[in-house]
Amino acid sequence: MDRYSSLGRLFIGGDWRDASSGATAPTTNPFDDAHLLDVAQATEDDVDAAYTAAASAQREWMAMLPTKRQAVLAKAADLMDARREEIADWL
């Protein structure tokens, strides 16, 4: 299903990227066995990059004022609410 094609990448440090090895694995719909997408297979280097990015983001998050963190979370909730049907379809 082409609508899922952008979901098969890794999200690391604010960017969508392919696995460093280029390896993927197919994902299928368990109901009808239809191919949904190919999912990037993270390598140890990809996991290390994700951990480093997350640790950096955590330091920035901790330094942020609570009111700013609240605003970020409220915006995220609004975005998810606006796209709830699309999100439910992914699940």
Side-chain angles (χ1 to χ4, degrees):
M1 300 177 116
D2 192 46
R3 67 182 176 192
Y4 296 110
S5 62
S6 64
L7 299 176
R9 303 180 77 203
L10 305 173
F11 190 70
I12 299 174
D15 297 312
W16 288 102
R17 61 174 87 168
D18 295 327
S20 59
S21 67
T24 61
T27 301
T28 57
N29 181 331
F31 177 73
D32 61 8
D33 215 29
H35 179 261
L36 294 175
L37 71 147
D38 293 324
V39 177
Q41 297 294 289
T43 64
E44 186 174 336
D45 288 341
D46 296 322
V47 173
D48 287 345
Y51 179 85
T52 300
S56 176
Q58 178 61 25
R59 285 189 295 276
E60 292 174 31
W61 183 256
M62 288 184 337
M64 194 180 295
L65 292 173
T67 53
K68 176 69 174 169
R69 290 196 303 258
Q70 186 275 332
V72 170
L73 293 173
K75 176 69 173 176
D78 290 344
L79 290 169
M80 287 186 282
D81 188 47
R83 297 178 68 183
R84 70 176 163 250
E85 291 187 24
E86 180 183 358
I87 294 168
D89 188 47
W90 294 342
L91 301 176

